[in-house]
Amino acid sequence: MEQQKRYGHFDDQHREYVITDPQTPWPWINYLGNEDFFSLISNTAGGYSFYKDAKFRRITRYRYNNVPMDNGGRYFYVKDGDTVWNPGWKPSKTPLDFYECRHGMSYTRITGRKNGVEASVLFFVPLKKWAEVQKLTLSNQSNETKNLKLFSFEEWCLWNAATDMENFQRNFSTGEVEIEGSTIYHKTEYRERRNHYAFYHVNTPIQGFDTDRETFVGLYNEFANPDAVMEGKPRNSHAHGWSPIASHYIEVTLAPGESKDFVFLLGYIENEQDQKFAAPQVINKDKAQALIAELNTTEKVDKAFAELNAYWDALLNIYKVKTGNDKLDRMVNIWNQYQCMVTFNFSRSASFFESGVGRGMGFRDSNQDLVGFVHQIPPRARQRIIDIASTQFPDGGCYHQYQPLTKRGNNDIGGGFNDDPCWLIFGTVAYIKETGDFSILDEMVPFDNQPGSEVTLFEHLKISMDHVIKNLGPHMLPLIGRADWNDCLNLNCFSWDPNESFQTTENVSEGTKAESLMIAGLFVVTGKDYVALCKKIGKDAEAERMQQAVDSMIEAVKKHGWDGEWYLRAYDFYGRKIGSNECEEAKIFIESQGWCTMAEIGADEGMVAKSLDSCKKYLECEHGMVLNNPAFTKYIYEYGEISSYPEGYKENAGIFCHNNPWVIIGECIAGRGNDAWSHYAKILPSYVEEKYQTLHKVEPYVNCQMVAGKDAYKPGEGKNSWLTGTAAWMWYTVSEFILGIKPDYDGIRIDPCLPETATDYTVQRKFREADYEITIHPNGAQKGVKSITLDGQPVAGTVIPYSAGKHTVEVTM
Ligand code: GLC
Ligand code: GLC
């Protein structure tokens, strides 16, 4: 493999990824904000901001899939004589003497230098504030005085990001702004039903401004060369309709060696209904001014930034590993945990592949994401579980998605995805094991958000299990419904109409025989967890009842779900096998191998080992394991969306990173540490970063949903970065199964599964009110703990019993 061009590198000490060439193979982005106000920011300062919901409260405008790519963002133009440049290179694309973008934990710093002037911008959203800070430092590094003209730029979105892109007959007439001092206010629709507005402020007097896009840019120009900037003259335009923007104009004189800070603030405000106006047509600006007053000096901003860093110190101090392998340590200690928090905040709503106007929160996605952040923010995980469970139906089925602002189930997509209920057990068990908080089981939780319908959360778990048991097919395996985890295996859809959604079209569900082995495995894994939970809380009869159901499922899989070398994937509507050696294409699928090996179904009969070997033989390639093999080469009417994708992409034999960890965990449970590690390292970003920055294309510091598989045109090319269940699964895999630190009801279970080359390592783990320092001595073993001492005393078994305080643990394998 020839050496690929590199665009950046990790800086572990600062927890940053440093991009040194602005022309990355795709925009490499970061996320700002942790609670209500959020922003996406690319390495050239592209992107946008929103309040809570990327669809309904979009603050700034963004044009997806544009030419050029990543067009629109927060831009600073420096005009130095005849030269116009931007610190992030775009949009003017004037070649810089120096460029650097540092993506850190909820902040990004972009620095550019040109002709002896440096502009460095720190972007972040302070904790608990509804605003994005942009602290710009301009310094004169030359020997002469510099007279610079500085223009800022933001473009307002008219709040609803969907209608903003289409309802122009209305939009072009509604835009309204106010300008007061150094603040530009955006108040479109405030005169009627909106009680919120946005503003863009700078903490210095300005010498001009613009608020009308066409006047500022010029109808036949681009962001690269706006009229006002090229001429060095603001127009002081006041937008009425069309496209409102916010641009400040500031004249800056810098002596040699001098530097100045400017604090720009993009804020969002909500007013009470009776407090909306200061005078007729004039918005009440009190809250905006109060917010500005909190962040209008370098000192205040630096303090807010220090608080943000301390917040991340605390989050990342909960689980820290030291193995001596930088590529592993940086993913475990920094980037994997960071990506999990981002997926917690954004679910699947807003990335450079998710436009923010589509999906809300997924029922299954959100439950899985939970295992990635429950150790960091348990109270918010608790709330998330209650929110999710509140969208369940009384029969145990669930809305497939819900809206983040209203928390209501999404009627457009509805329910009928038969894996969904099981995930509620998965999420809840993870929460209780982390926190020891069994009281969540007694919370009263409604069905479909209907007041009066409340039952305990435990009841919700029970009907979730029952939903599977009550929906078994002819082989006593779970009916698949509209789809299981694989949204694209739509066995009751049968569509020839390109305008139909594969997920919501069910032409033929009556009389279906379509069954899923993936749900069967998932049911056994979560069923065992449910049984253990019932025993723990003294519900022995219920434990017994469910154990029988789990046992029957295991028998059904062994009898009807085994193909000889691997587990089948499903039975179709007519009861024909899917994922079998008998099939012409797609003879083997990854999902059922993952779940049935995790469930250890048929381990004694050798099924687990054979299945794992088959994954290596048929699914594995240089870049990870593909979803199915061979890829479908033609559309199969009976299978739905899966075969609609060209070979090697997405659910048709792409490397769908989300499910690689399932097989890796299967390997770990089977004690095959070398294999587990080699699968893991293939999709671990830091290993990919080292080898394939150009080919991989998307950000090398986080996982992406899909890497093109071995049947694709360009195997190894990544897509759909950031918002993917892969983040949580990678975390769960490495923290609990590879490094082997597993929270349990009564303490921490220690059960690593390592490559035989592993050397001694230490994990610092805060757990409830305790602080453990755990050192593992693998001694060349892949699996199997021989002895444990806790504070010098031997411990029987593999669970360190929980007690508050500081503890030292030594583990010998
Ligand atoms: C996407 C969806 C997830 C689904 C997966 C496989 O990642 O968000 O719900 O399980 O695709 O189809
Ligand atoms: C499409 C995608 C799948 C995703 C689903 C979400 O089917 O291929 O990955 O889960 O849409 O609606």
Side-chain angles (χ1 to χ4, degrees), residues 517 560-563 566-571 577-580 592:
L517 268 303
H560 301 292
W562 182 248
D563 199 55
W566 57 78
Y567 303 96
L568 293 175
R569 176 62 177 88
Y571 284 97
K577 291 176 186 172
I578 298 182
S580 159
S592 44

Side-chain angles (χ1 to χ4, degrees), residues 348 359 364-365 400 485-488 651 656 658 705:
R348 304 295 174 270
R359 302 193 268 170
R364 76 160 83 91
D365 294 352
H400 193 49
W485 171 86
N486 190 331
D487 271 332
C488 299
E651 281 88 342
F656 217 95
H658 189 147
Q705 182 208 52

Side-chain angles (χ1 to χ4, degrees), residues 157-200:
C157 178
L158 306 189
W159 300 116
N160 180 323
T163 58
D164 185 69
M165 291 189 289
E166 59 181 30
N167 193 3
F168 305 112
Q169 61 80 25
R170 171 178 165 83
N171 293 346
F172 285 168
S173 294
T174 55
E176 288 192 287
V177 298
E178 283 181 34
I179 304 117
E180 201 182 279
S182 299
T183 314
I184 295 162
Y185 296 87
H186 175 228
K187 59 169 187 178
T188 299
E189 292 187 347
Y190 189 78
R191 62 166 61 228
E192 30 120 350
R193 293 158 299 172
R194 295 191 184 274
N195 66 344
H196 51 91
Y197 62 84
F199 66 84
Y200 193 36

Side-chain angles (χ1 to χ4, degrees), residues 393 398-401 409-417 420 482 504:
F393 301 117
C398 326
Y399 276 109
H400 193 49
Q401 293 169 6
N410 181 347
N411 274 314
D412 296 341
I413 180 135
F417 296 76
D420 273 338
R482 288 179 174 181
T504 57

Side-chain angles (χ1 to χ4, degrees), residues 347-348 354 359 362-366 368 400-401 417 419-420 423 483-489 503 591 627 650-651 656 658-659 662 705 720 723-726:
S347 192
R348 304 295 174 270
E354 301 277 6
R359 302 193 268 170
F363 191 98
R364 76 160 83 91
D365 294 352
S366 298
Q368 293 170 78
H400 193 49
Q401 293 169 6
F417 296 76
D419 63 316
D420 273 338
W423 296 110
D484 60 21
W485 171 86
N486 190 331
D487 271 332
C488 299
L489 194 60
Q503 275 81 42
E591 302 98 320
L627 192 145
K650 293 282 285 179
E651 281 88 342
F656 217 95
H658 189 147
N659 52 38
W662 299 346
Q705 182 208 52
N720 305 6
L723 303 183
T724 159
T726 313

